[in-house]
Amino acid sequence: MPLPHTADHTADHAAPRPGISRRITAIAVIAALVAVAITFLAAAPFDRTAGGEVAVVRNGGPFDNRQVRQIIEPASGLTYSGMFSESHKYPAQQRFYTITSDARRGDRAGVDVEQDPTADGVEIGVEGTVYFNLNLDSATLKAFDDKYGTRKYLGQDGQYRSAWDGEDGWNSFLDTIVRPVISNDLRQQVGDFQCAELQASCALVQAGALAASNANSTAAAAVFNGSTGKQNNVNIQKIQTSINSSLEDDLTSTLGGKFITNVRFNLAKITLPTKVQTAIEEAQAEFAGVSKSQARVAQARADALANEQRQKG
Protein backbone atom coordinates (compact mmCIF):
# COMPACT_ATOMS: atom_id res chain seq x y z
CA MET A 1 0.00 0.00 0.00
CA PRO A 2 1.67 3.29 -1.09
CA LEU A 3 2.63 5.82 1.58
CA PRO A 4 0.64 9.05 1.36
CA HIS A 5 2.28 12.39 0.64
CA THR A 6 5.84 10.97 0.19
CA ALA A 7 6.50 13.02 -2.94
CA ASP A 8 5.15 16.16 -1.29
CA HIS A 9 7.58 15.83 1.67
CA THR A 10 10.55 15.49 -0.70
CA ALA A 11 9.49 18.60 -2.58
CA ASP A 12 9.19 20.55 0.65
CA HIS A 13 12.75 19.63 1.68
CA ALA A 14 14.24 20.52 -1.75
CA ALA A 15 12.69 24.01 -2.13
CA PRO A 16 14.62 26.90 -0.39
CA ARG A 17 12.82 28.75 2.27
CA PRO A 18 11.81 32.35 1.38
CA GLY A 19 13.57 33.84 4.45
CA ILE A 20 16.92 32.23 3.66
CA SER A 21 16.74 33.36 0.03
CA ARG A 22 16.17 36.96 1.06
CA ARG A 23 19.13 36.88 3.47
CA ILE A 24 21.44 35.53 0.76
CA THR A 25 20.33 38.26 -1.60
CA ALA A 26 20.88 40.95 1.04
CA ILE A 27 24.39 39.66 1.82
CA ALA A 28 25.27 39.67 -1.88
CA VAL A 29 24.04 43.24 -2.27
CA ILE A 30 26.03 44.38 0.80
CA ALA A 31 29.16 42.64 -0.49
CA ALA A 32 28.76 44.35 -3.86
CA LEU A 33 28.36 47.75 -2.16
CA VAL A 34 31.45 47.15 -0.02
CA ALA A 35 33.45 46.21 -3.11
CA VAL A 36 32.32 49.39 -4.86
CA ALA A 37 33.19 51.48 -1.79
CA ILE A 38 36.65 49.92 -1.53
CA THR A 39 37.27 50.53 -5.23
CA PHE A 40 36.05 54.12 -4.85
CA LEU A 41 38.35 54.76 -1.87
CA ALA A 42 41.32 53.09 -3.57
CA ALA A 43 40.84 55.32 -6.57
CA ALA A 44 41.21 58.41 -4.29
CA PRO A 45 39.12 60.77 -6.47
CA PHE A 46 39.63 63.73 -4.09
CA ASP A 47 42.76 65.61 -3.08
CA ARG A 48 43.87 68.84 -1.39
CA THR A 49 47.08 70.84 -0.99
CA ALA A 50 48.74 72.48 1.99
CA GLY A 51 49.69 76.14 2.09
CA GLY A 52 53.23 75.51 0.83
CA GLU A 53 52.58 73.15 -2.03
CA VAL A 54 50.96 72.97 -5.45
CA ALA A 55 49.72 69.77 -7.13
CA VAL A 56 49.95 68.69 -10.75
CA VAL A 57 47.30 65.97 -11.27
CA ARG A 58 47.84 63.36 -13.98
CA ASN A 59 45.20 60.93 -15.28
CA GLY A 60 45.58 57.38 -14.06
CA GLY A 61 42.36 55.48 -14.84
CA PRO A 62 42.45 52.15 -16.69
CA PHE A 63 40.97 53.75 -19.82
CA ASP A 64 42.52 57.22 -19.46
CA ASN A 65 45.62 58.72 -21.01
CA ARG A 66 48.46 59.81 -18.73
CA GLN A 67 48.34 63.52 -19.49
CA VAL A 68 48.03 66.35 -16.96
CA ARG A 69 44.42 66.64 -15.84
CA GLN A 70 44.50 69.79 -13.68
CA ILE A 71 46.49 72.02 -11.33
CA ILE A 72 45.42 72.25 -7.68
CA GLU A 73 46.43 75.62 -6.24
CA PRO A 74 48.15 75.98 -2.85
CA ALA A 75 45.99 75.71 0.31
CA SER A 76 43.03 74.30 -1.61
CA GLY A 77 39.95 72.67 -0.17
CA LEU A 78 38.96 69.09 -0.96
CA THR A 79 39.03 68.92 -4.77
CA TYR A 80 37.76 66.26 -7.14
CA SER A 81 40.80 65.00 -9.05
CA GLY A 82 39.38 62.04 -10.97
CA MET A 83 39.38 58.30 -10.39
CA PHE A 84 42.83 56.69 -10.08
CA SER A 85 44.59 60.02 -10.76
CA GLU A 86 48.11 60.73 -9.45
CA SER A 87 49.01 64.01 -7.73
CA HIS A 88 52.55 65.37 -8.06
CA LYS A 89 53.04 67.90 -5.28
CA TYR A 90 55.79 70.54 -5.53
CA PRO A 91 56.88 73.37 -3.18
CA ALA A 92 54.94 76.57 -3.75
CA GLN A 93 56.86 78.88 -1.39
CA GLN A 94 60.40 80.26 -1.56
CA ARG A 95 63.01 77.54 -1.27
CA PHE A 96 66.78 77.63 -0.81
CA TYR A 97 69.77 75.52 -1.77
CA THR A 98 72.69 75.87 0.65
CA ILE A 99 76.32 75.00 -0.05
CA THR A 100 78.06 74.76 3.32
CA SER A 101 80.69 72.91 5.33
CA ASP A 102 78.39 72.89 8.37
CA ALA A 103 76.28 69.71 8.42
CA ARG A 104 73.74 71.39 10.72
CA ARG A 105 72.81 74.04 8.16
CA GLY A 106 71.15 73.92 4.78
CA ASP A 107 68.03 72.48 3.23
CA ARG A 108 69.41 68.94 3.33
CA ALA A 109 71.75 66.87 5.46
CA GLY A 110 75.47 66.52 4.86
CA VAL A 111 78.59 68.59 4.33
CA ASP A 112 78.88 70.19 0.92
CA VAL A 113 81.37 72.84 -0.27
CA GLU A 114 81.89 73.99 -3.86
CA GLN A 115 85.57 73.55 -4.76
CA ASP A 116 86.77 75.84 -7.57
CA PRO A 117 90.25 76.88 -8.78
CA THR A 118 91.33 80.53 -8.78
CA ALA A 119 93.23 82.13 -11.66
CA ASP A 120 96.55 81.16 -10.02
CA GLY A 121 95.50 77.54 -9.47
CA VAL A 122 94.56 77.52 -5.79
CA GLU A 123 91.55 75.29 -5.08
CA ILE A 124 89.31 77.33 -2.81
CA GLY A 125 86.02 76.45 -1.18
CA VAL A 126 82.91 78.55 -1.77
CA GLU A 127 79.97 78.53 0.63
CA GLY A 128 76.69 80.28 -0.08
CA THR A 129 72.93 79.96 -0.52
CA VAL A 130 70.70 80.19 -3.60
CA TYR A 131 67.14 81.41 -2.96
CA PHE A 132 64.47 80.74 -5.59
CA ASN A 133 60.81 79.96 -6.37
CA LEU A 134 59.22 77.35 -8.58
CA ASN A 135 57.21 79.06 -11.33
CA LEU A 136 53.53 78.51 -10.43
CA ASP A 137 52.10 79.46 -13.82
CA SER A 138 49.77 76.59 -14.83
CA ALA A 139 51.19 76.04 -18.30
CA THR A 140 54.76 76.22 -16.96
CA LEU A 141 53.97 73.74 -14.17
CA LYS A 142 52.53 71.28 -16.68
CA ALA A 143 55.64 71.57 -18.82
CA PHE A 144 57.85 71.17 -15.75
CA ASP A 145 56.02 68.01 -14.67
CA ASP A 146 56.23 66.59 -18.19
CA LYS A 147 59.95 67.25 -18.33
CA TYR A 148 61.13 66.58 -14.76
CA GLY A 149 58.22 64.98 -12.86
CA THR A 150 58.13 61.82 -14.94
CA ARG A 151 61.63 60.56 -14.08
CA LYS A 152 63.58 59.72 -10.94
CA TYR A 153 66.79 61.11 -9.46
CA LEU A 154 69.52 59.50 -7.38
CA GLY A 155 69.65 60.77 -3.79
CA GLN A 156 72.55 60.94 -1.37
CA ASP A 157 71.34 57.72 0.24
CA GLY A 158 71.57 55.82 -3.06
CA GLN A 159 67.79 55.70 -3.60
CA TYR A 160 66.01 56.91 -6.74
CA ARG A 161 63.05 59.23 -6.18
CA SER A 162 60.77 61.51 -8.19
CA ALA A 163 61.07 65.28 -7.76
CA TRP A 164 57.60 65.31 -6.15
CA ASP A 165 58.42 62.46 -3.74
CA GLY A 166 58.74 64.53 -0.55
CA GLU A 167 61.75 66.55 0.61
CA ASP A 168 64.23 63.82 -0.31
CA GLY A 169 62.89 63.64 -3.85
CA TRP A 170 62.98 67.42 -4.28
CA ASN A 171 66.54 67.65 -2.97
CA SER A 172 67.62 64.81 -5.27
CA PHE A 173 66.22 66.79 -8.21
CA LEU A 174 68.13 69.91 -7.12
CA ASP A 175 71.39 67.97 -6.68
CA THR A 176 71.07 66.31 -10.09
CA ILE A 177 69.68 69.10 -12.28
CA VAL A 178 70.19 72.48 -10.58
CA ARG A 179 73.53 72.03 -8.80
CA PRO A 180 75.63 71.61 -11.99
CA VAL A 181 74.40 74.99 -13.24
CA ILE A 182 75.35 76.67 -9.94
CA SER A 183 78.75 74.97 -10.01
CA ASN A 184 79.43 76.13 -13.56
CA ASP A 185 78.62 79.76 -12.72
CA LEU A 186 80.79 79.73 -9.59
CA ARG A 187 83.71 78.14 -11.44
CA GLN A 188 83.61 80.81 -14.13
CA GLN A 189 83.43 83.68 -11.64
CA VAL A 190 86.07 82.41 -9.20
CA GLY A 191 88.46 81.68 -12.07
CA ASP A 192 88.71 85.40 -12.84
CA PHE A 193 90.46 86.20 -9.55
CA GLN A 194 93.79 85.39 -7.88
CA CYS A 195 93.58 83.59 -4.54
CA ALA A 196 94.95 86.63 -2.67
CA GLU A 197 92.23 88.79 -4.24
CA LEU A 198 89.61 86.70 -2.47
CA GLN A 199 91.52 85.63 0.63
CA ALA A 200 94.29 88.01 1.73
CA SER A 201 96.16 85.37 3.73
CA CYS A 202 96.94 83.49 0.50
CA ALA A 203 99.69 86.07 -0.09
CA LEU A 204 101.64 84.73 2.89
CA VAL A 205 102.11 81.32 1.30
CA GLN A 206 102.57 82.62 -2.24
CA ALA A 207 105.24 85.09 -1.07
CA GLY A 208 107.22 82.34 0.64
CA ALA A 209 106.07 83.12 4.18
CA LEU A 210 107.40 86.66 4.24
CA ALA A 211 106.65 86.97 7.92
CA ALA A 212 109.18 84.27 8.74
CA SER A 213 111.93 85.24 6.31
CA ASN A 214 111.86 89.05 6.32
CA ALA A 215 113.41 90.45 9.47
CA ASN A 216 112.04 93.88 8.70
CA SER A 217 108.53 92.36 8.18
CA THR A 218 107.35 95.49 6.36
CA ALA A 219 106.36 93.50 3.28
CA ALA A 220 104.70 90.82 5.39
CA ALA A 221 102.73 93.33 7.37
CA ALA A 222 101.41 94.82 4.13
CA VAL A 223 99.51 91.59 3.55
CA PHE A 224 97.26 92.38 6.48
CA ASN A 225 96.59 96.08 6.00
CA GLY A 226 93.04 97.36 5.96
CA SER A 227 92.87 98.13 2.25
CA THR A 228 93.62 94.50 1.37
CA GLY A 229 90.70 93.21 3.42
CA LYS A 230 88.37 95.79 1.91
CA GLN A 231 89.46 94.80 -1.59
CA ASN A 232 88.73 91.14 -0.81
CA ASN A 233 85.20 92.08 0.22
CA VAL A 234 84.74 94.10 -2.97
CA ASN A 235 85.83 91.14 -5.10
CA ILE A 236 83.54 88.73 -3.26
CA GLN A 237 80.68 91.16 -3.83
CA LYS A 238 81.56 91.24 -7.54
CA ILE A 239 81.27 87.45 -7.73
CA GLN A 240 77.92 87.54 -5.96
CA THR A 241 76.58 90.27 -8.24
CA SER A 242 77.74 88.50 -11.39
CA ILE A 243 76.08 85.24 -10.37
CA ASN A 244 72.84 87.03 -9.51
CA SER A 245 72.78 88.53 -13.00
CA SER A 246 73.49 85.27 -14.83
CA LEU A 247 72.27 82.31 -12.79
CA GLU A 248 68.53 82.61 -13.51
CA ASP A 249 69.15 82.92 -17.27
CA ASP A 250 71.52 79.94 -17.14
CA LEU A 251 68.91 77.86 -15.29
CA THR A 252 66.25 78.81 -17.86
CA SER A 253 68.55 77.86 -20.73
CA THR A 254 69.73 74.59 -19.19
CA LEU A 255 66.36 73.38 -17.87
CA GLY A 256 64.60 74.25 -21.12
CA GLY A 257 62.06 76.66 -19.63
CA LYS A 258 61.56 79.40 -17.06
CA PHE A 259 60.75 76.87 -14.35
CA ILE A 260 62.78 78.56 -11.59
CA THR A 261 62.32 82.28 -10.85
CA ASN A 262 63.33 84.98 -8.34
CA VAL A 263 66.85 83.57 -8.10
CA ARG A 264 69.22 85.25 -5.66
CA PHE A 265 72.67 84.04 -4.57
CA ASN A 266 74.36 85.04 -1.30
CA LEU A 267 78.06 84.20 -1.09
CA ALA A 268 78.73 83.47 2.57
CA LYS A 269 82.37 82.51 2.82
CA ILE A 270 85.60 81.66 0.98
CA THR A 271 87.58 78.80 2.52
CA LEU A 272 91.03 77.40 1.74
CA PRO A 273 92.26 73.81 1.43
CA THR A 274 93.50 72.25 4.66
CA LYS A 275 97.17 72.20 3.62
CA VAL A 276 97.10 75.83 2.47
CA GLN A 277 95.31 76.92 5.62
CA THR A 278 97.88 75.07 7.76
CA ALA A 279 100.76 76.78 5.93
CA ILE A 280 99.10 80.15 6.46
CA GLU A 281 98.62 79.52 10.17
CA GLU A 282 102.28 78.52 10.50
CA ALA A 283 103.40 81.64 8.63
CA GLN A 284 101.16 83.81 10.78
CA ALA A 285 102.61 82.20 13.92
CA GLU A 286 106.15 82.93 12.71
CA PHE A 287 105.15 86.46 11.81
CA ALA A 288 103.81 86.88 15.33
CA GLY A 289 107.12 85.53 16.69
CA VAL A 290 109.12 88.03 14.63
CA SER A 291 106.90 90.85 15.85
CA LYS A 292 107.31 89.69 19.42
CA SER A 293 111.11 89.64 19.08
CA GLN A 294 111.11 93.12 17.54
CA ALA A 295 108.94 94.33 20.38
CA ARG A 296 111.43 92.98 22.92
CA VAL A 297 114.32 94.73 21.09
CA ALA A 298 112.38 97.99 21.08
CA GLN A 299 111.63 97.59 24.78
CA ALA A 300 115.29 96.94 25.58
CA ARG A 301 116.32 100.08 23.69
CA ALA A 302 113.73 102.09 25.54
CA ASP A 303 114.92 100.72 28.88
CA ALA A 304 118.57 101.52 28.04
CA LEU A 305 117.62 105.07 27.03
CA ALA A 306 115.70 105.52 30.26
CA ASN A 307 118.66 104.28 32.33
CA GLU A 308 120.96 106.67 30.48
CA GLN A 309 118.68 109.59 31.24
CA ARG A 310 118.45 108.63 34.89
CA GLN A 311 122.27 108.47 35.16
CA LYS A 312 122.61 111.93 33.63
CA GLY A 313 120.04 113.22 36.06
Side-chain angles (χ1 to χ4, degrees), residues 21-240:
S21 178
R22 284 194 296 270
R23 285 197 294 272
I24 293 174
T25 301
I27 291 172
V29 171
I30 293 173
L33 292 175
V34 170
V36 170
I38 292 174
T39 302
F40 186 78
L41 292 174
F46 295 94
D47 200 0
R48 67 174 66 188
T49 56
E53 63 185 11
V54 62
V56 179
V57 182
R58 303 190 79 94
N59 292 322
F63 303 105
D64 289 338
N65 57 37
R66 294 299 183 267
Q67 296 179 357
V68 175
R69 170 189 175 90
Q70 66 192 102
I71 303 294
I72 302 180
E73 298 296 328
S76 73
L78 199 61
T79 304
Y80 180 75
S81 57
M83 300 288 287
F84 300 100
S85 296
E86 185 178 59
S87 291
H88 297 174
K89 295 181 179 179
Y90 298 104
Q93 78 278 50
Q94 186 188 62
R95 298 305 296 264
F96 57 91
Y97 185 92
T98 301
I99 303 170
T100 177
S101 59
D102 187 348
R104 296 169 298 178
R105 295 178 57 242
D107 204 20
R108 68 202 191 289
V111 173
D112 179 28
V113 176
E114 181 69 28
Q115 301 289 343
D116 295 307
T118 59
D120 50 345
V122 179
E123 197 86 4
I124 65 170
V126 180
E127 299 185 29
T129 302
V130 179
Y131 300 88
F132 64 93
N133 290 87
L134 184 65
N135 193 335
L136 299 185
D137 173 72
S138 295
T140 305
L141 274 176
K142 291 178 182 179
F144 177 81
D145 192 69
D146 283 335
K147 196 173 183 69
Y148 296 104
T150 53
R151 53 178 291 194
K152 294 187 177 182
Y153 308 93
L154 181 64
Q156 293 183 346
D157 58 357
Q159 300 296 318
Y160 283 90
R161 298 181 179 86
S162 300
W164 42 269
D165 190 8
E167 289 293 328
D168 290 335
W170 179 250
N171 290 331
S172 298
F173 160 74
L174 293 179
D175 287 338
T176 304
I177 303 299
V178 175
R179 176 59 181 271
V181 183
I182 299 173
S183 298
N184 183 64
D185 275 29
L186 284 173
R187 184 169 54 254
Q188 291 181 5
Q189 296 301 326
V190 169
D192 290 337
F193 294 92
Q194 302 280 332
C195 179
E197 292 177 316
L198 301 175
Q199 186 68 273
S201 52
C202 276
L204 276 176
V205 177
Q206 294 171 330
L210 290 175
S213 62
N214 192 328
N216 194 347
S217 76
T218 302
V223 173
F224 300 100
N225 62 33
S227 61
T228 303
K230 291 179 182 178
Q231 188 60 43
N232 289 158
N233 291 335
V234 169
N235 292 333
I236 289 174
Q237 184 64 40
K238 286 180 180 178
I239 292 177
Q240 180 174 287

Side-chain angles (χ1 to χ4, degrees), residues 207-270:
L210 290 175
S213 62
N214 192 328
N216 194 347
S217 76
T218 302
V223 173
F224 300 100
N225 62 33
S227 61
T228 303
K230 291 179 182 178
Q231 188 60 43
N232 289 158
N233 291 335
V234 169
N235 292 333
I236 289 174
Q237 184 64 40
K238 286 180 180 178
I239 292 177
Q240 180 174 287
T241 302
S242 297
I243 291 178
N244 279 328
S245 64
S246 63
L247 183 55
E248 185 165 332
D249 291 338
D250 289 343
L251 286 170
T252 298
S253 175
T254 304
L255 272 62
K258 199 173 183 61
F259 302 127
I260 293 179
T261 61
N262 302 326
V263 178
R264 179 170 180 79
F265 176 74
N266 285 342
L267 200 161
K269 185 167 61 172
I270 298 291

